[in-house]
Amino acid sequence: MGCVEIRGISKLFGTVRAVDHVDLATNEGEFLVLLGPSGCGKTTLLRMIAGIEEPTEGEMAIDGRVVTNMPPRMRDIAMVFQSYALYPHMTVYKNIAFPLRARGVEKGAVRKKVEWAAGMFKIGRLLDRKPRELSGGERQRVALARAMVREPSVFLLDEPLSNLDALLRTSAREELRQFQRRVGVTTIYVTHDQVEAMGLGDRIVVMSQGKIRQIGTPMDIYQWPADTFVATFVGSPPMNLLDQGDTLLGFRPETFLPADAVEGSEGVLTYPFEVTYLEYLGAERLVYGNVGEKSHARHVVSRLPGSLTLSLEAGKTYPFAVALRDLRRFDKKSGLFKGGGAS
Amino acid sequence: MSGQPVSSPAVDGARGGIQDRESALAKLMIAPAILVITAMIGVPFVLAILYSLSDATTGDPSIKIVGLRNFRAALADPVFRISLWNTVFFTLVSQCIVVLLSRLLATALLKKFRGKWLVRFLIMLPWTAPISLGVIGWLWMFDSIFSPIDWVLRYVGLLGAPGALLGAGTNLYYLGVPGLAISSIILVDVWRILPLATVIQLAGLSSIPRDLLEAAEVDGATPWRRTLMITIPLTLPITSIAFLFGVVFTFTDLVVVYVLTRGGPVHMTQVLSSWTFFKGIEGGDLAQGAAISLFMFPVLASVAILILRTARRTEVV
């Protein structure tokens, strides 16, 4: 239950291709994250899966049943909106009961299900309140309960954590992940926040300009980016890219360390690193500077763990190195991944 | 200069002019409104009460208090009772129709279609035309001999032929038959208020966040259920405002009845405002006219209170 298959889906708004020939298939019960900058088409793709937006071309199936032109109510999906979209004139109870009532579930059964869903999200004591009397975190839980109450086969979430403050977001993320594991519903989650994507996703779909750039596990995406867009969009600070003729040489800031600290059984690449600026962030230090000769100096960032207490000064040059196995090469023209590691 | 102490410019600057003294400025700016309301509403209202308790006529408008005689006379008058009933009946029926039609029109105008601006323009037109001119137009439409409506009905064979659905006569005499006259007046009342109500409803409908309707769609609600459970409850406050405004306009309207039927045939379409006018001005009995018009006051006052309350409710949601 709960497999979404998307074949060659496009969506045009006027002449703008918001989603451009996307193919995608979810695994059963997985947590799939659509990640990309704003305007990349991830929300449009989600809305097409929900049936709120009609695709311009392509086909879509849920559990083997073609749903391309079906209205949302026939798709057996549930969705949580960024704004939560709680019905302001209804109590929490009626909000959660709404999807069941819409399906003609009989009253006694509705009560049982609502209490079950409210219990799952610990909002039992809020059932008589109106949405405007709830805090942001409580609203988010009500929205989740309303989406889950009829146990859909696919669960769609559109940036559901973006309206929460930073502290709440972390705990909500953890809860959401545990909850999804417990119920095992296939979940598609849209976000522009890479930390959320890395933390939540079984697999991440990185999108840009309506196209899918890469699909893979968080580790794949981070360690083996398919192109320079993924390499620089995921990771903060982004991957360093050094221009080497027709190739771009990439390495993550945390792999670019003082030469003594780099152990590379397969060899290392050493650069004189001219430090221009330092940022102390508590758990880590970010060191900005240039490598290479004066004529074509390249700006790179190094990320030093807090445990490395070496003293560095702006304006001075130090030997820094990166292990060969941490190098990634990209084609300069197309930006595509060419090879990596020691090879 | 006679040695009087002169306030120095520096001190003046520190205290600030009237522009910086908010309480004084507020009083100054609200004063014109209070003056206008007193002159245009307060004075006539007090005068109406005084006249209604007096025996004033247009020939002798001096006020001599005679007590509640005029109110008793009004209540005993069968034409007054018809007027009272008609006023309430015309208002309620026309405004119920207006609420329904304006909701339909507003829903249609939310959609995108070709020539939408033209439809909007045409819907707004009755509101921009002077009411008396518009009603004179309707007078021609309802003409006993040259009515274009009759002409169309005859053309399509519904009227004027033996065995036709609406009878063999050549005309229907819209303003001469009680039932038709009442319907005609209600029709024009609807035509008059519909533009305003449509604009208000349009504002209400477009203020519903799109997310809510989409959420309801994903939650499995059919279009009918979305309307019933989401759209109508969320727009209820603003719909009530449209309804109550329509009530005020229609309840107090004189022009439609005066131009179309003058209350006829035989007072069957008389309303409070027209009866006030005929009794008080044309009949010359100022005191009686004032008493009749004051019967509108309780209804209007309670509608005004309802409007204010509903408006506050829309602010909270």
Side-chain angles (χ1 to χ4, degrees), chain B:
Chain B
M1 296 307 251
S2 65
Q4 288 271 5
V6 180
S7 63
S8 74
V11 172
D12 263 355
R15 216 179 59 204
I18 182 89
Q19 291 177 42
D20 296 314
R21 300 213 308 276
E22 284 196 5
S23 65
L25 190 65
K27 280 178 198 143
L28 193 73
M29 293 186 83
I30 201 100
I34 290 175
L35 275 177
V36 168
I37 290 172
T38 311
M40 306 295 285
I41 296 171
V43 173
F45 183 59
V46 172
L47 265 182
I49 293 175
L50 285 177
Y51 276 139
S52 72
L53 299 171
S54 75
D55 63 353
T57 62
T58 44
D60 174 19
S62 66
I63 292 169
K64 208 173 336 128
I65 302 296
V66 296
L68 295 173
R69 197 178 76 187
N70 291 309
F71 291 95
R72 277 195 293 273
L75 284 170
D77 177 4
V79 179
F80 169 79
R81 289 204 295 266
I82 294 176
S83 307
L84 186 61
W85 161 252
N86 278 347
T87 310
V88 173
F89 181 74
F90 292 175
T91 305
L92 288 184
V93 173
S94 66
Q95 292 321 300
C96 288
I97 299 174
V98 162
V99 163
L100 277 178
L101 288 183
S102 63
R103 166 54 57 92
L104 285 178
L105 281 176
T107 309
L109 285 176
L110 272 186
K111 303 267 184 288
K112 278 186 187 147
F113 57 88
R114 276 181 87 119
K116 180 168 155 176
W117 71 270
L118 183 70
V119 176
R120 265 189 202 220
F121 173 73
L122 290 177
I123 289 174
M124 276 313 286
L125 215 50
W127 190 251
T128 57
I131 178 163
S132 44
L133 290 187
V135 180
I136 289 172
W138 278 106
L139 188 63
W140 295 336
M141 296 284 281
F142 292 138
D143 191 273
S144 55
I145 296 168
F146 303 108
S147 165
I149 307 172
D150 285 346
W151 186 84
V152 171
L153 289 176
R154 279 199 301 272
Y155 187 82
V156 298
L158 287 173
L159 181 71
L165 190 66
L166 295 171
T170 51
N171 291 87
L172 283 177
Y173 308 108
Y174 295 97
L175 304 175
V177 184
L180 280 176
I182 288 169
S183 312
S184 302
I185 284 176
I186 289 176
L187 174 71
V188 177
D189 280 338
V190 169
W191 172 86
R192 173 72 188 150
I193 302 297
L194 194 57
L196 176 71
T198 304
V199 170
I200 296 178
Q201 294 258 29
L202 197 57
L205 282 180
S206 42
S207 73
I208 301 180
R210 228 178 58 178
D211 272 6
L212 283 186
L213 294 170
E214 288 171 355
E217 210 180 333
V218 174
D219 280 344
T222 56
W224 180 236
R225 196 179 184 87
R226 289 204 291 278
T227 308
L228 224 59
M229 306 278 292
I230 310 288
T231 314
I232 291 182
L234 284 179
T235 51
L236 197 60
I238 203 144
T239 307
S240 334
I241 296 257
F243 178 80
L244 293 171
F245 264 106
V247 165
V248 172
F249 277 114
T250 314
F251 200 81
T252 55
D253 182 71
L254 164 69
V255 177
V256 175
V257 167
Y258 183 79
V259 172
L260 286 185
T261 64
R262 300 196 172 241
V266 282
H267 297 306
M268 292 307 287
T269 59
Q270 206 68 266
V271 289
L272 284 179
S273 57
S274 63
W275 191 230
T276 299
F277 183 73
F278 290 132
K279 266 275 178 185
I281 308 297
E282 296 201 338
D285 191 346
L286 272 185
Q288 185 63 239
I292 296 168
S293 72
L294 278 179
F295 277 92
M296 286 192 252
F297 178 69
V299 173
L300 292 177
S302 38
V303 169
I305 290 168
L306 272 178
I307 288 182
L308 290 175
R309 279 204 180 164
T310 322
R312 216 174 36 227
R313 201 146 49 96
T314 43
E315 280 165 24
V316 173
V317 172

Side-chain angles (χ1 to χ4, degrees), chain A residues 94-160:
Chain A
K94 285 193 172 155
N95 262 283
I96 302 176
F98 187 86
L100 301 171
R101 302 280 308 278
R103 273 176 172 65
V105 177
E106 155 289 306
K107 271 211 164 147
V110 168
R111 175 152 285 281
K112 265 191 211 131
K113 290 290 278 184
V114 171
E115 275 161 8
W116 165 79
M120 195 157 58
F121 291 98
K122 304 188 190 83
I123 47 172
R125 72 203 157 77
L126 305 175
L127 287 178
D128 294 327
R129 299 225 199 137
K130 290 271 181 73
R132 67 166 175 272
E133 299 163 328
L134 304 178
S135 70
E138 289 166 343
R139 282 178 204 187
Q140 188 238 3
R141 285 156 179 272
V142 174
L144 286 169
R146 185 176 72 184
M148 285 315 298
V149 71
R150 64 190 156 87
E151 299 176 76
S153 63
V154 181
F155 194 27
L156 308 174
L157 299 136
D158 185 8
E159 311 220 14

Side-chain angles (χ1 to χ4, degrees), chain A residues 46-117:
Chain A
L46 192 78
R47 288 164 63 86
M48 285 195 285
I49 299 170
I52 304 168
E53 212 81 67
E54 221 173 294
T56 313
E57 55 189 23
E59 205 182 44
M60 194 178 293
I62 296 175
D63 289 328
R65 195 169 54 119
V66 175
V67 297
T68 316
N69 296 309
M70 266 188 204
R73 64 174 184 279
M74 297 169 75
R75 295 187 178 206
D76 198 19
I77 40 121
M79 181 162 169
V80 174
F81 290 74
Q82 188 171 8
S83 64
Y84 309 139
L86 299 179
Y87 310 126
H89 57 297
M90 297 184 193
T91 59
V92 168
Y93 179 89
K94 285 193 172 155
N95 262 283
I96 302 176
F98 187 86
L100 301 171
R101 302 280 308 278
R103 273 176 172 65
V105 177
E106 155 289 306
K107 271 211 164 147
V110 168
R111 175 152 285 281
K112 265 191 211 131
K113 290 290 278 184
V114 171
E115 275 161 8
W116 165 79

